[in-house]
Amino acid sequence: MGRSRRTIPEELLLLALDPATGTTAQPQSLDLGLAGAQLVELALAGRIAPDGDRIAVVMARPTGDPTLDSALELLRRRGSPVRAVHWIGGPRLGLRQIYLAHLERCGMVHAVAGQMCGVLPTTRYQATDTAISRDIRARLDSAIRTGVPPDPRTAALAALAHAVGLGKHLYPGNEGRSSRSRLRDLIRHDPMGGLVAHAVMDVQNGVGAQPRRSANGTGTGTGAAAGTRATATATAPGVPMQPHRGSMARAVAH
């Protein structure tokens, strides 16, 4: 995968980055969105495919993007299709910081050191070329304004932006209400983006698993038990855990 095209995780993060403050909107849900965006990018690259509500590896050949290939390898090690909601909801510490560092290495952002309350070290990130962010935003605006079905990449980006709550950041206030509604509607234009976006929202809503049905149609588990099963699956071997690094130990501004 060449660097001539920005990946969906990169574009989602650039959308969330406030050019004035260097902070990211919706920082907690953004990590989930980035994990989902990796799945969409891998699907567009022909490496994975949806299998019902699960994700299956169909080609294990690396893409050439180290961050995506790490996720692909972890999916491959699972050996069997994994539910999208379990993958996205798995412990994945610092994915936002990892992608910020990735964008910095690619020259898309630069880090600005600072302090919180005059004591705690912080790092903010400024886009090196605001035209890139404007181009990404223009694609969403065009899809919203014209009603023309967008290309799969833009549709998936719109679905993820809605899922992590960026609508109110991109189209704030009462005047942005109709745009936020149309942003949400774009979720239907890409099946993989829709699957992943719904999984992101399910994780945020605490929907990790549904009770299984017995032969007579009654549930075999309570909501609490389902949540326990989701936790057990999410923490199973092969679900990505990001190591703590020295640079990650610094407080990073939202």
Side-chain angles (χ1 to χ4, degrees):
M1 181 179 296
R3 294 304 305 157
S4 59
R5 171 179 286 176
R6 295 179 298 272
T7 65
I8 293 176
E10 291 168 356
E11 292 195 329
L12 182 65
L13 186 50
L14 287 171
L15 268 183
L17 194 63
D18 190 315
T21 65
T23 62
T24 52
Q26 303 299 110
Q28 301 304 318
S29 58
L30 191 55
D31 272 2
L32 302 176
L34 290 171
Q38 288 183 319
L39 294 181
V40 176
E41 191 65 48
L42 287 170
L44 289 172
R47 300 319 195 262
I48 64 174
D51 181 5
D53 67 346
R54 297 174 183 268
I55 303 298
V57 175
V58 295
M59 183 191 299
R61 178 165 55 86
T63 66
D65 182 305
T67 313
L68 289 174
D69 289 341
S70 176
L72 178 61
E73 175 61 14
L74 289 168
L75 283 166
R76 186 193 66 80
R77 290 179 187 173
R78 293 296 297 267
S80 60
V82 57
R83 286 188 67 192
V85 69
H86 289 165
W87 173 263
I88 291 169
R92 192 175 285 100
L93 300 176
L95 192 56
R96 177 167 44 101
Q97 285 78 14
I98 287 171
Y99 262 102
L100 282 168
H102 173 72
L103 289 180
E104 186 179 17
R105 289 192 301 271
C106 293
M108 294 188 196
V109 302
H110 68 275
V112 179
Q115 289 185 329
M116 182 185 298
C117 302
V119 179
L120 297 175
T122 63
T123 304
R124 297 172 185 266
Y125 292 85
Q126 299 289 343
T128 56
D129 185 355
T130 56
I132 295 176
S133 297
R134 289 197 301 269
D135 172 69
I136 298 169
R137 174 69 180 270
R139 284 164 43 211
L140 289 186
D141 289 346
S142 177
I144 287 173
R145 183 179 64 254
T146 64
V148 176
D151 63 274
R153 301 184 70 84
T154 301
L157 180 63
L160 287 162
H162 165 70
V164 303
L166 287 184
K168 59 186 177 183
H169 166 70
L170 299 170
Y171 307 103
N174 287 332
E175 64 275 14
R177 183 178 300 172
S178 61
S179 293
R180 293 195 298 271
S181 177
R182 288 193 288 273
L183 179 71
R184 179 195 63 221
D185 291 343
L186 291 175
I187 199 170
R188 70 182 187 274
H189 290 294
D190 180 63
M192 184 66 179
L195 168 66
V196 169
H198 282 298
V200 169
M201 290 185 284
D202 282 346
V203 173
Q204 293 181 84
N205 293 328
V207 183
Q210 296 296 328
R212 295 183 179 181
R213 295 284 174 179
S214 62
N216 62 7
T218 59
T220 60
T222 64
T228 301
R229 288 197 298 272
T231 302
T233 305
T235 55
V239 175
M241 290 281 290
Q242 298 296 346
H244 289 288
R245 301 179 182 176
S247 59
M248 298 302 176
R250 296 180 299 170
V252 178
H254 295 164

